[in-house]
Amino acid sequence: MRLAVVTPTLRRPEALEIAIRSVMAQRGLDARPDEMVISDNDPEGSAREVVEQLAREAPFPLIYVHAPRPGIATARNTGLAATDAELIAFLDDDEVAAPGWLSALRQTRATLGVKVVFGPIRGRAPSAPEAIRPYLERFFGRSGPAQDGLVDQPYGCGNSLFVRAGTLDRNPPFDLDADQSGGEDDALFQHLALSGVQWGWSSQAWVDEAAPPHRANLSYALRRAFAFGQSPSQLAARHRNWVNVVGWMVVGSGQFAVFGALAVGQWLIGHAARVDTTDRAIRGLGKLFWMKPFEPQFYGMAELKRTQRAG
């Protein structure tokens, strides 16, 4: 089956070049993709030059597609629509694939016979204060079983491989309501789980993800933790399953009360687990305050405005 790597990007030319070159450097069985699609989410099309330059030396076609309306779901949907490949691998523009990444994903999918495979992410936060760096590297990373096999939950779209038929054929596949907040794949994974899709884990399909300075801090991570906590309540509300909404709010209130109190004590004595406990409390708070007015914005226009201020 033909395979395309799809990479959404927004004003990260240096990181994008590194991500593309990591795909160009793939080695192993069936390591080379048939094409790589770069979905440029900058209204000004700033990634075009990088893609055109690298296309001259890439051993496979590099396809540039412009998604001018800023939003992570829009970027993913636009990139997906630009290819008809039967296999779709997602690699984000802040991820660097190990040389055996694509080969491992393909072999795991073939061995397990599943439609969706996830791989591990090694989080990096080189600019973070030393005291919180371990937490942040776990936060931006992703761990799983030491061996390939089936897993009972999805792990997120970054570093994944999909058999397109039966998984990405909804229109649109990624949730446009999450364009600015992230979590654009939550509804998709919920739909696939209800359809009986099984998840696979490829233990050797490594990518590295380095958090830039504006993300490698406690404020950003806890805002993201709050958004992660909101997700189950929001999905239940979208289906008007108010019993489940109330259930998640009860769970969230318990998490916030227990872990919040524990975190206060840990901060007072300088306990090593204080940041992780705070994270768990904040995720509980997100289940309580799941409504749109409380939803943090991380992508699309928020990222565009941040880069404009920085520039």
Side-chain angles (χ1 to χ4, degrees):
M1 289 191 286
R2 294 179 61 252
L3 184 148
V5 177
V6 175
T7 298
T9 189
L10 176 56
R11 292 193 176 178
R12 291 178 181 171
E14 296 85 3
L16 176 62
E17 179 174 353
I18 294 170
I20 294 173
R21 288 193 180 279
S22 75
V23 178
M24 292 166 57
Q26 290 298 293
R27 300 195 303 266
L29 182 66
D30 291 328
R32 181 178 296 180
D34 293 279
E35 58 195 23
M36 184 173 184
V37 179
I38 308 302
S39 181
D40 186 359
N41 206 205
D42 182 2
E44 298 179 5
S46 58
R48 183 186 296 273
E49 184 178 353
V50 173
V51 176
E52 290 179 347
Q53 288 177 351
L54 292 177
R56 301 187 184 103
E57 55 183 286
F60 46 78
L62 273 183
I63 299 172
Y64 173 88
V65 59
H66 194 199
R69 189 184 78 178
I72 183 59
T74 295
R76 290 201 190 280
N77 289 332
T78 302
L80 188 59
T83 177
D84 60 0
E86 296 95 337
L87 295 175
I88 303 294
F90 287 102
L91 182 75
D92 291 343
D93 67 350
D94 56 356
E95 294 177 336
V96 181
W101 167 69
L102 202 52
S103 178
L105 285 176
R106 295 181 89 151
Q107 290 183 48
T108 300
R109 187 207 67 80
T111 301
L112 297 178
V114 295
K115 287 183 174 289
V116 185
V117 177
F118 305 99
I121 299 173
R122 188 180 292 107
R124 304 293 192 200
S127 65
E130 187 174 348
I132 62 171
R133 189 177 301 148
Y135 160 76
L136 290 173
E137 292 187 340
R138 289 192 301 273
F139 184 88
F140 290 107
R142 182 164 83 194
S143 60
Q147 304 295 326
D148 292 4
L150 298 177
V151 288
D152 59 5
Q153 64 179 8
Y155 279 80
C157 201
N159 188 12
S160 62
L161 176 66
F162 287 73
V163 177
R164 186 176 194 140
T167 63
L168 296 172
D169 36 19
R170 294 206 308 169
N171 188 24
F174 294 100
D175 183 8
L176 294 174
D177 283 345
D179 237 0
Q180 309 303 313
S181 60
E184 72 285 354
D185 49 10
D186 289 346
L188 170 65
F189 288 135
Q190 183 185 59
H191 168 74
L192 294 181
L194 292 173
S195 302
V197 170
Q198 290 185 303
W199 322 112
W201 177 260
S202 184
S203 60
Q204 299 305 307
W206 281 97
V207 304
D208 282 33
E209 180 175 325
H214 74 276
R215 291 186 175 186
N217 58 76
L218 193 56
S219 174
Y220 179 88
L222 292 181
R223 288 175 64 231
R224 283 281 296 273
F226 180 85
F228 291 152
Q230 287 181 311
S231 180
S233 299
Q234 288 178 335
L235 286 174
R238 184 171 304 166
H239 291 90
R240 298 187 180 279
N241 190 336
W242 303 116
V243 173
N244 277 5
V245 171
V246 172
W248 282 117
M249 292 177 72
V250 170
V251 170
S253 64
Q255 288 178 330
F256 180 66
V258 172
F259 293 114
L262 182 59
V264 169
Q266 289 178 339
W267 279 99
L268 288 174
I269 64 174
H271 195 282
R274 62 192 183 278
V275 179
D276 295 271
T277 306
T278 303
D279 179 295
R280 299 179 73 177
I282 293 298
R283 290 177 194 240
L285 194 63
K287 293 181 179 67
L288 276 172
F289 293 94
W290 52 268
M291 307 79 172
K292 279 286 183 182
F294 298 105
E295 188 175 73
Q297 307 291 289
F298 301 103
Y299 299 96
M301 289 306 301
E303 180 65 8
L304 190 65
K305 290 176 180 177
R306 185 198 66 79
T307 60
Q308 289 171 341
R309 291 194 301 268

